[in-house]
Amino acid sequence: MERSFGAEVGKLTLGQGEIFHGEGILAVAKALLQSGVSYIGGYQGAPVSHLIDVLGDARELLDRLGIYFESSASEAGAAAMLGASINYPLRGAVTWKSTVGTNVASDALSNLASAGVKGGALVILGEDYGEGSSIIQERTHAFAMKSQMWLLDPRPNLNSIVDTVEKGFELSEASNTPVMLQLRIRACHVHGSFVCRDNRQPAHSRKHLLETAEFDYGRICLPPSIYQHERAKIEARWPAALDFIRCEGLNEVFDGESKDVGIIVQGGLYNGLMRALQRVGLADAFGRSDLPIYVLNVVYPLVPDEVLDFCADKRAVMLVEEGQPKYLEDAIQAILRRAGAGTELHGGRIFALAGEYSGEVLLKGVGAFVEAMGLAPAAATGTDVEAARLLGLREQATAELGAPVPARPPGFCVGCPERPVFSALKLLQQRTGAIHVSADIGCHTFGTLPPFNMGNTVLGYGLGLASSSAVGPMLNKRVVSIMGDGGFWHNGFTSGVVNAVYNGHDSVLVILKNGYTSATGTQIIPSSRQVDARPELDIERALEGVGVRWIRKVPSYEVSHMVRTLGEAMSTAEPGLKVIIADGECQLERQRRIKPEAARRLKAGERIVRTRFAVDDRVCTGDHACVRLSGCPSLTIKPNPNPLRVDPVATVNQGCVGCGLCGEAAHADTLCPSFYKVDIVQNPSRWDRFLYRMRQAVISLLAARDSFPAGAPQ
């Protein structure tokens, strides 16, 4: 990728006693190096992409420490890396977005959890749940319970996060169990500081190689070993984990003045809880709370005696657990009732049964609990007032605007090479009627939103083609499937293309080749333009290698060409899979590459030409079909300068990057000819200046001629 993370890499070299300042996910990278990790891998995905990005730029540092780093082809590949810790005392860490990445990695994780580990194995998960999420609303907790992998959920501050990473390896080794560490979006991006320790060279690494290869059939996930694995989970690993959690104090208790009422909270929700308590007058800005708080930095497994000790002599406890099902609530209820404890547990019913616990949800829930417990009536009244004030601000804003703020769906970036493909599909459907489009995960998923509204299903990364296999034979037209080049290499090649060829599918696949996994921060993929010694893999050759015969490659921005090619794919008599590769580099990466080069050339006095597009106000009819067809953010509207016309006209703002889609789409659909192209020449040559003067002279002559009245002498 074109962006450099040199500044972040520098922070990873900080030594004993130095102060690290930065965001949470970068602190995780530093904690890994302080933990003596032997290998690191992962697959990019928000909100943990930054971890992969920084480590990818820190290869020199990792090489000095002997650490192996790999940007894996998928989450399944990353999870399988942890197999190195099954037989050998190697500490390893992998990372990805959850829960979708955990679903992909599930086979390897299940086998890993069954076999158990010698070396510490840590899975760092970006828990993409709640209002800032872009995926299905599920939680990792269920998977941890299913496979009995311990799940850490640290308080969102850098000291807690770093300590939890280091303790996570120790917990894994103490219980011979892989450990998951989940970080929500806010935890990944929280800023703070912590005191560093020196980076540790691992005991076994690329510099200190293992002497012998070890074999132990007891580690193989086949009978009879698998039956021993299950017993070991219950009889040995679970008790060892509870002992370690208890002895090391991984969960925390913060005392408060109240003795008969308390709070249990997931570590990741601690900051939000403290803010709500502060607003109702039950906590201060320094984290001191009037109510005692039991913080679950380990949400699975629970330590029953810790729960009972905290709840002892308390008439009621409030549980702050985000999402559903309420795994913690059910488990804590079971612990309390089995022990005969009379403590009331107030959970999801006072907050929300589903969804993120935002500031508003937490404030309402804390207020309801405070009121129900009869605590500090003044504070309870303050809660109602504060909640009413927050809700009143929203209503006041709506009243002043005269209407609710219209929804603004996300969309493609300015100049994105994927937008023209959806413009072409839209034009094709005007001729053929509605087409079933199987969408995929990636930037191109924005095609399901206005103005395109194209994509009947989204079932997983790289699964666009596979999801069309059953519906295709049931329709009277061929199905069109969308897939990005990142999804192609991740899962789409085998699950989609190979499956389609093997089963003789007669459908159309459009592969959007922009060169990166752009949606997660433009990381490189096997077919990216490589800048180091790694080979660049070719999508066309891969397709030909598995028997795809009908392959066309079309420049993404050539809308008319794309419409013709799509039409050919939909109508040809040739059976089998038809693949169209839409070739156009991610505009963000293109701009990151060309802008510094352009700046350098300008400074050196070299000639630079920038292309922009504009709309002629006098020609624009004001029907805005061009806006509806392209959806480009730089193509908008403005008041009509003609006093005799009231419809606003189209205009191109300063965000234009000169991709030309607006003109291409207008030409392909035979819209009004109001678009024109402008070449802006900086540091012009003498020839440029001469041409400019000649053009201006000709324009002046033509303008003067047109200004004479009809019949007047000229």
Side-chain angles (χ1 to χ4, degrees):
M1 62 191 302
E2 305 300 334
R3 184 182 170 190
S4 171
F5 296 93
E8 288 89 341
V9 171
K11 295 181 181 181
L12 300 183
T13 64
L14 295 175
Q16 182 71 34
E18 294 185 275
I19 306 299
F20 174 102
H21 295 276
E23 63 177 335
I25 195 62
L26 188 59
V28 172
K30 177 66 172 121
L32 291 176
L33 303 186
Q34 294 178 176
S35 300
V37 68
S38 296
Y39 62 94
I40 306 171
Y43 191 82
Q44 57 272 4
V48 293
S49 295
H50 198 46
L51 181 59
I52 295 293
D53 294 336
V54 173
L55 291 174
D57 273 11
R59 289 182 184 273
E60 185 178 339
L61 171 61
L62 299 181
D63 288 343
R64 287 203 304 269
L65 294 170
I67 299 171
Y68 176 72
F69 171 74
E70 179 176 292
S71 181
S72 306
S74 71
E75 297 88 349
M81 286 181 69
L82 293 174
S85 298
I86 292 177
N87 290 300
Y88 306 103
L90 300 173
R91 284 189 170 183
V94 294
T95 185
W96 55 72
K97 177 194 195 87
S98 196
T99 58
V100 287
T102 305
N103 292 339
V104 175
S106 59
D107 196 11
L109 290 178
S110 294
N111 283 274
L112 180 74
S114 182
V117 294
K118 283 186 178 179
L122 188 65
V123 183
I124 300 162
L125 303 171
E127 188 76 347
D128 197 14
Y129 179 85
E131 293 179 354
S133 172
S134 62
I135 60 169
I136 49 178
Q137 294 300 277
E138 295 181 357
R139 293 186 296 153
T140 306
H141 202 122
F143 191 94
M145 293 171 62
K146 174 190 75 71
S147 293
Q148 289 184 252
M149 296 175 66
W150 318 138
L151 180 60
L152 310 180
D153 187 7
R155 287 190 294 133
N157 67 73
L158 266 57
N159 280 304
S160 294
I161 291 171
V162 170
D163 289 345
T164 304
V165 169
E166 295 176 353
K167 290 296 182 182
F169 284 111
E170 296 177 22
L171 171 61
S172 176
E173 290 164 349
S175 61
N176 302 119
T177 302
V179 171
M180 292 176 160
L181 186 151
Q182 66 177 12
L183 296 170
R184 294 171 181 78
I185 297 170
R186 288 182 177 85
C188 287
H189 300 304
V190 68
H191 278 251
S193 62
F194 69 94
V195 180
C196 295
R197 287 188 281 272
D198 289 333
N199 295 333
R200 286 172 48 193
Q201 278 202 2
H204 300 285
S205 67
R206 297 169 71 185
K207 290 193 169 186
H208 303 284
L209 302 178
L210 294 161
E211 296 294 333
T212 58
E214 297 182 12
F215 174 77
D216 179 2
Y217 186 79
R219 299 277 186 177
I220 303 298
C221 295
L222 289 173
S225 301
I226 51 176
Y227 312 123
Q228 298 168 356
H229 295 168
E230 186 178 22
R231 286 195 296 272
K233 284 182 178 181
I234 301 301
E235 297 171 0
R237 300 180 198 171
W238 187 294
L242 296 184
D243 287 343
F244 185 90
I245 295 165
R246 187 186 303 110
C247 294
E248 294 295 327
L250 296 191
N251 297 320
E252 302 169 282
V253 175
F254 297 99
D255 292 328
E257 294 180 4
S258 174
K259 301 302 179 185
D260 65 340
V261 174
I263 300 173
I264 301 176
V265 60
Q266 291 175 273
L269 301 179
Y270 177 81
N271 288 2
L273 170 66
M274 293 306 298
R275 179 61 173 158
L277 289 172
Q278 183 185 348
R279 290 215 165 174
V280 302
L282 292 177
D284 62 23
F286 301 98
R288 290 185 290 265
S289 168
D290 291 351
L291 303 181
I293 302 175
Y294 176 40
V295 181
L296 294 174
N297 293 313
V298 184
V299 292
Y300 182 79
L302 293 174
V303 184
D305 51 323
E306 285 188 357
V307 174
L308 292 171
D309 287 347
F310 180 77
C311 294
D313 302 324
K314 290 184 174 62
R315 60 190 173 96
V317 167
M318 176 178 71
L319 173 64
V320 186
E321 178 190 10
E322 187 175 64
Q324 57 78 39
K326 299 296 182 186
Y327 301 113
L328 291 175
E329 184 173 346
D330 291 345
I332 292 174
Q333 286 280 23
I335 291 170
L336 294 174
R337 304 308 155 232
R338 284 171 185 163
T343 306
E344 293 182 9
L345 186 65
H346 297 254
R349 292 186 181 278
I350 62 171
F351 288 102
L353 294 178
E356 179 184 350
Y357 279 10
S358 62
E360 183 179 325
V361 171
L362 285 168
L363 181 60
K364 287 181 177 179
V366 168
F369 180 70
V370 167
E371 186 175 0
M373 294 297 103
L375 296 172
T381 303
T383 304
D384 297 335
V385 171
E386 181 72 2
R389 186 183 72 81
L390 292 174
L391 294 174
L393 289 175
R394 183 189 303 166
E395 295 168 359
Q396 179 184 348
T398 302
E400 290 180 0
L401 290 169
V405 176
R408 184 182 180 186
F412 298 101
C413 298
V414 175
C416 175
E418 298 179 355
R419 181 183 287 107
V421 177
F422 288 95
S423 295
L425 277 168
K426 198 168 187 177
L427 290 172
L428 178 69
Q429 292 194 83
Q430 290 178 7
R431 305 173 188 177
T432 64
I435 297 172
H436 182 97
V437 177
S438 293
D440 211 309
I441 299 292
C443 295
H444 39 84
T445 315
F446 291 139
T448 61
L449 297 168
F452 303 112
N453 300 113
M454 214 170 288
N456 299 71
T457 54
V458 179
L459 288 177
Y461 193 30
L463 294 178
L465 179 56
S467 66
S468 72
S469 61
V471 72
M474 309 296 170
L475 292 171
N476 61 354
K477 295 188 189 75
R478 285 173 177 150
V479 173
V480 174
S481 301
I482 305 294
M483 188 186 298
D485 46 358
F488 176 85
W489 295 115
H490 177 274
N491 199 9
F493 181 56
T494 53
S495 298
V497 175
V498 173
N499 179 68
V501 173
Y502 179 71
N503 287 291
H505 293 175
D506 186 18
S507 64
V508 179
L509 171 64
V510 179
I511 299 176
L512 301 168
K513 183 185 176 184
N514 68 8
Y516 307 88
T517 51
S518 299
T520 59
T522 60
Q523 290 80 17
I524 61 171
I525 54 177
S527 54
S528 297
R529 179 175 54 88
Q530 302 293 338
V531 294
D532 52 25
R534 283 178 288 188
E536 180 178 329
L537 305 186
D538 186 80
I539 292 176
E540 287 183 79
R541 290 181 62 187
L543 292 168
E544 292 167 353
V546 295
V548 179
R549 298 179 180 178
W550 198 101
I551 303 172
R552 304 288 187 271
K553 193 171 186 178
V554 181
S556 295
Y557 295 103
E558 296 181 7
V559 177
S560 297
H561 188 180
M562 182 63 72
V563 173
R564 290 195 302 273
T565 307
L566 284 166
E568 179 189 355
M570 293 294 290
S571 60
T572 181
E574 185 172 340
L577 181 65
K578 271 70 68 176
V579 179
I580 302 171
I581 301 174
D583 192 10
E585 184 184 10
C586 170
Q587 192 66 232
L588 284 177
E589 284 300 288
R590 178 176 175 272
Q591 293 298 319
R592 286 173 180 155
R593 188 180 71 256
I594 67 175
K595 281 185 176 180
E597 176 63 17
R600 184 196 65 77
R601 292 179 61 190
L602 278 175
K603 189 174 181 180
E606 298 179 29
R607 179 178 182 270
I608 294 288
V609 179
R610 291 186 295 119
T611 299
R612 294 292 181 268
F613 288 80
V615 176
D616 189 333
D617 298 339
R618 297 167 298 179
V619 179
C620 177
T621 62
D623 72 344
H624 311 140
C626 54
V627 176
R628 295 190 295 273
L629 187 55
S630 78
C632 179
S634 67
L635 181 59
T636 181
I637 58 175
K638 69 176 184 180
N640 199 317
N642 188 334
L644 301 179
R645 296 167 61 190
V646 295
D647 290 334
V649 294
T651 185
V652 179
N653 64 29
Q654 293 300 311
C656 175
V657 295
C659 72
L661 169 61
C662 49
E664 275 283 336
H667 175 72
D669 201 27
T670 322
L671 304 178
C672 65
S674 57
F675 288 92
Y676 62 92
K677 177 181 174 182
V678 179
D679 286 333
I680 304 169
V681 182
Q682 294 174 279
N683 295 331
S685 64
R686 290 181 180 178
W687 176 248
D688 291 321
R689 296 179 188 276
F690 172 75
L691 283 178
Y692 176 76
R693 287 193 293 268
M694 291 296 295
R695 288 166 179 160
Q696 289 299 108
V698 172
I699 290 171
S700 297
L701 286 172
L702 294 175
R705 184 193 66 183
D706 291 344
S707 66
F708 284 107
Q714 300 182 19

